[in-house]
Amino acid sequence: MSENKMGKKILIQVPSPFAANNAIFEQDANNMTEPWRVLKARLNSLGYEVLTADNNSLEDCEWLLFIDSLSLYGTAQRGGFKNFARRISNKIFKVKDKNPWPNRPLYEEAMARGMENRMALFLWEGAVVSPYNYMPKTWKKFNRIFTWKDDLVDNKKFFKFYLPTPTQNGIVKPLPFAQKKLLVNISANKWYPGENELFSARVRTSLYFDRHYPNDFDHFGARWHTAVTRWQKYFPALIPKFTTYRGKSGNKMETLSKYKFSLCYENVSDNKGYITEKIFDILQAKSVPVYWGAPNIEEYVPSTAFVDRRKFINDEALAKYLKNVSEENYEKMVEAGQKYLETENCKKFFSEYFAKRVIEVLNITRKN
């Protein structure tokens, strides 16, 4: 089918059944779906219907977008003995997986229709979470791939996109310096083993401040009293106990605004360009991020706006530094962060630019 006979439909194959049936376009509590809602609105304005792929026909589909390798291979990509045993057991006893994903061989269907030049892949997650995102067998399937990973960008096959930061509501006037508590961590407790992962570093830093500075530190988030590693499941005594744990944060921005500093550890420490919403949420709340993640963070965010965790040999050295930051120097960091939020470089990390970039790379134009 020739290009000029294509219709006005764009389908998105999501990485999970929980985002299917157009759920990725619905308002959610943390506003994490905002980038996709903004993209959908922009494409609608150009004359395209935008839907999650689900069981929709590829007839009149002009573009098919895949989010992460999970949308191609499903949870089987995670490998490991547990997953292998599950597959063998299901085969022997003829048991079907609950909520199997993906729900259809969509890529193969598209190739059979000659859509090889009208499919694109988003490498959203890092290798620690989605290892198949970074395997050549995945890359070979697509002529256009969106990636935040600076080392891959060539503007031929791999195109840069910035992980979009959803707009956060509830930003309040922050407390004066003297009334702010020293440090907070807001994060869900997760664990993915892998080289240079920072999940364990996040736990270690939180435990250090919990043990040594309980009056200066608060700890929020889901699953912190739940086993997340195999060893913790077998030996529950290994689950860390926090005296400073305060449950879920409720209004995240309001919570962040009550602290001078906020832990801002990405999932990994060695991926250039992997900069998530964490640092922008903290800056918007007029707190100062203690950042550890993208090694080239200073190419994107001025060093005057955050505390670089890499400069400290351990958590003890970090604590001593934070405790001794003067009000004058602290306010300079906050001001630097506020100035940065107004720059065009910063705006590249928000939903409007995300939508603009997708349309630009795919060369999507208005349909009559």
Side-chain angles (χ1 to χ4, degrees), residues 35-84:
W36 298 103
R37 286 186 279 114
V38 171
L39 176 61
K40 178 182 174 70
R42 287 288 306 278
L43 291 171
N44 288 164
S45 71
L46 294 174
Y48 295 86
E49 182 182 16
V50 184
L51 304 163
T52 52
D54 307 325
N55 292 315
N56 288 314
S57 170
L58 292 178
E59 189 71 32
D60 294 332
C61 179
E62 189 145 335
W63 275 100
L64 178 56
L65 310 180
F66 291 80
I67 305 175
D68 281 330
S69 54
L70 277 168
S71 65
L72 285 166
Y73 308 119
T75 56
Q77 68 161 281
R78 290 176 181 153
F81 176 77
K82 183 177 180 180
N83 188 63
F84 173 76

Side-chain angles (χ1 to χ4, degrees), residues 293-304:
N296 62 338
I297 181 64
E298 293 182 14
E299 295 177 17
Y300 294 94
V301 182
S303 60
T304 51

Side-chain angles (χ1 to χ4, degrees), residues 26-40:
E26 296 174 2
Q27 180 73 52
D28 62 312
N30 296 315
N31 206 31
M32 298 303 291
T33 61
E34 182 195 68
W36 298 103
R37 286 186 279 114
V38 171
L39 176 61
K40 178 182 174 70

Side-chain angles (χ1 to χ4, degrees), residues 10 38-39 41-46 63 146 352-366:
I10 294 175
V38 171
L39 176 61
R42 287 288 306 278
L43 291 171
N44 288 164
S45 71
L46 294 174
W63 275 100
F146 289 90
E352 289 293 339
Y353 187 86
F354 169 71
K356 176 183 176 182
R357 182 63 174 158
V358 173
I359 292 168
E360 176 185 71
V361 170
L362 300 183
N363 194 27
I364 297 174
T365 58
R366 183 180 298 277

Side-chain angles (χ1 to χ4, degrees), residues 241-303:
K241 305 296 189 297
F242 291 90
T243 62
T244 57
Y245 181 62
R246 311 299 180 212
K248 295 183 179 180
S249 64
N251 188 315
K252 180 180 180 182
M253 304 306 289
E254 183 176 357
T255 300
L256 287 169
S257 70
K258 296 177 181 178
Y259 297 83
K260 296 173 185 173
F261 301 97
S262 304
L263 287 188
C264 187
Y265 291 11
E266 305 284 13
N267 293 342
V268 292
S269 64
D270 64 337
N271 286 182
K272 291 183 177 181
Y274 183 67
I275 303 168
T276 67
E277 83 287 346
K278 298 178 183 68
I279 191 168
F280 302 103
D281 288 348
I282 295 168
L283 292 175
Q284 289 181 87
K286 295 186 178 180
S287 183
V288 174
V290 177
Y291 186 83
W292 193 357
N296 62 338
I297 181 64
E298 293 182 14
E299 295 177 17
Y300 294 94
V301 182
S303 60

Side-chain angles (χ1 to χ4, degrees), residues 87-364:
R87 296 202 313 271
I88 295 298
S89 175
N90 290 352
K91 191 170 185 178
I92 293 173
F93 295 104
K94 302 186 184 303
V95 175
K96 290 186 177 181
D97 281 341
K98 184 179 181 181
N99 295 325
W101 202 257
N103 64 337
R104 64 194 279 203
L106 187 58
Y107 178 85
E108 290 73 15
E109 290 179 33
M111 288 296 289
R113 283 179 168 270
M115 293 181 62
E116 61 270 17
N117 291 318
R118 289 181 284 110
M119 293 190 288
L121 172 67
F122 288 88
L123 302 182
W124 205 279
E125 294 287 356
V128 171
V129 176
S130 293
Y132 275 54
N133 272 4
Y134 301 92
M135 293 188 176
K137 79 169 194 175
T138 302
W139 297 346
K140 287 179 181 178
K141 292 178 179 290
F142 296 91
N143 292 325
R144 284 185 178 90
I145 297 176
F146 289 90
T147 180
W148 44 260
K149 194 174 179 63
D150 292 341
D151 294 338
L152 288 178
V153 174
D154 59 11
N155 292 317
K156 296 177 181 178
K157 182 186 183 77
F158 295 94
F159 296 87
K160 173 75 175 183
F161 85 104
Y162 298 75
L163 286 166
T165 296
T167 304
Q168 294 293 347
N169 298 319
I171 301 175
V172 298
K173 185 177 180 179
L175 297 173
F177 177 83
Q179 294 180 28
K180 282 188 173 184
K181 209 166 184 176
L182 182 67
L183 180 67
V184 67
N185 176 53
I186 303 178
S187 66
N189 188 21
K190 299 178 182 179
W191 168 248
Y192 292 93
E195 187 176 2
N196 297 313
E197 56 81 21
L198 288 176
F199 300 103
S200 56
R202 194 180 294 142
V203 174
R204 286 195 303 271
T205 298
S206 296
L207 281 173
Y208 179 85
F209 279 88
D210 180 87
R211 302 295 187 265
H212 298 277
Y213 295 92
N215 296 324
D216 294 308
F217 176 67
D218 285 326
H219 186 61
F220 295 88
R223 303 182 66 201
W224 283 100
H225 290 159
T226 302
V228 295
T229 70
R230 184 179 302 175
W231 286 107
Q232 288 175 357
K233 291 176 182 178
Y234 295 146
F235 304 100
L238 295 176
I239 300 173
K241 305 296 189 297
F242 291 90
T243 62
T244 57
Y245 181 62
R246 311 299 180 212
K248 295 183 179 180
S249 64
N251 188 315
K252 180 180 180 182
M253 304 306 289
E254 183 176 357
T255 300
L256 287 169
S257 70
K258 296 177 181 178
Y259 297 83
K260 296 173 185 173
F261 301 97
S262 304
L263 287 188
C264 187
Y265 291 11
E266 305 284 13
N267 293 342
V268 292
S269 64
D270 64 337
N271 286 182
K272 291 183 177 181
Y274 183 67
I275 303 168
T276 67
E277 83 287 346
K278 298 178 183 68
I279 191 168
F280 302 103
D281 288 348
I282 295 168
L283 292 175
Q284 289 181 87
K286 295 186 178 180
S287 183
V288 174
V290 177
Y291 186 83
W292 193 357
N296 62 338
I297 181 64
E298 293 182 14
E299 295 177 17
Y300 294 94
V301 182
S303 60
T304 51
F306 65 91
V307 174
D308 191 339
R309 176 59 180 82
R310 295 171 299 177
K311 294 182 178 180
F312 302 93
I313 191 171
N314 54 31
D315 291 315
E316 180 182 5
L318 172 65
K320 289 180 179 178
Y321 171 80
L322 297 182
K323 290 283 287 183
N324 287 289
V325 171
S326 68
E327 181 174 358
E328 180 182 1
N329 288 336
Y330 176 78
E331 295 300 342
K332 286 180 179 179
M333 286 189 276
V334 172
E335 183 180 0
Q338 298 311 296
K339 287 182 178 179
Y340 168 67
L341 288 173
E342 298 301 319
T343 66
E344 291 302 315
N345 284 337
C346 180
K347 291 177 183 178
K348 291 179 180 179
F349 286 94
F350 287 84
S351 298
E352 289 293 339
Y353 187 86
F354 169 71
K356 176 183 176 182
R357 182 63 174 158
V358 173
I359 292 168
E360 176 185 71
V361 170
L362 300 183
N363 194 27
I364 297 174

